[in-house]
Amino acid sequence: MTANTQCVRAYMDAYGRSDHAAVLSCLTDDVEWIVPGAFHLTGKTAFDGEIENGAFVGRPAITVTRIVEDGDVVVAEGTVCTEQTAGGVLHLVFCDVFEMRDAKIRRLTSYLMQVPEAGATR
């Protein structure tokens, strides 16, 4: 496993534990996080504020189903299940595109889609 893929796996594991220090250790100082149509954050401080936010309670259940790598780009697919503060459970499928620099995440673009339940493919 390459250093880039190891970093992405460590990031996903740490995010699922809501381990801020471990998540932030996977990022460059000038990291960008883009969720098209929702937000574009820059820097570790902004990123840190989204690891846990008021819209959700507890820790997300993240399942990575596939990781592929090409040069300094790593793509991870999977599912997320998380409890919403307003009630109910949010089930998402994701495709995260990680642009890496020196085996750290420089830019993350997260493509998310809500599904009836985690693991749903249609």
Side-chain angles (χ1 to χ4, degrees), residues 4 11 40 50 68 72 84 93 109 111-112 117 120:
N4 285 340
Y11 162 85
H40 182 160
E50 285 299 315
V68 295
D72 282 334
Q84 297 174 300
V93 291
T109 304
Y111 299 96
L112 306 167
E117 62 183 61

Side-chain angles (χ1 to χ4, degrees), residues 11 15 31-35 39-41 47 50 108-110:
Y11 162 85
Y15 203 101
V31 65
E32 292 180 74
W33 186 8
I34 303 162
V35 177
F39 63 78
H40 182 160
L41 304 174
F47 203 107
E50 285 299 315
L108 166 57
T109 304
S110 297

Side-chain angles (χ1 to χ4, degrees), residues 38-114:
F39 63 78
H40 182 160
L41 304 174
T42 302
K44 283 186 175 182
T45 301
F47 203 107
D48 189 31
E50 285 299 315
I51 295 170
E52 295 176 89
N53 69 48
F56 305 101
V57 295
R59 296 181 175 151
I62 301 170
T63 303
V64 177
T65 56
R66 178 174 26 188
I67 292 183
V68 295
E69 181 176 353
D70 184 18
D72 282 334
V73 176
V74 178
V75 178
E77 291 180 283
T79 61
V80 177
C81 180
T82 187
E83 188 176 339
Q84 297 174 300
T85 304
V89 177
L90 179 64
H91 300 280
L92 300 167
V93 291
F94 69 84
C95 181
D96 284 348
V97 179
F98 298 87
E99 296 176 40
M100 311 296 290
R101 182 192 315 135
D102 300 325
K104 292 200 181 243
I105 300 163
R106 164 59 188 100
R107 177 179 291 162
L108 166 57
T109 304
S110 297
Y111 299 96
L112 306 167
M113 184 172 67
Q114 188 172 351

Side-chain angles (χ1 to χ4, degrees), residues 1 4-14 26 64 66-67:
M1 185 181 321
N4 285 340
T5 295
Q6 287 175 342
C7 176
V8 168
R9 286 193 180 278
Y11 162 85
M12 298 299 269
D13 181 56
C26 297
V64 177
R66 178 174 26 188
I67 292 183

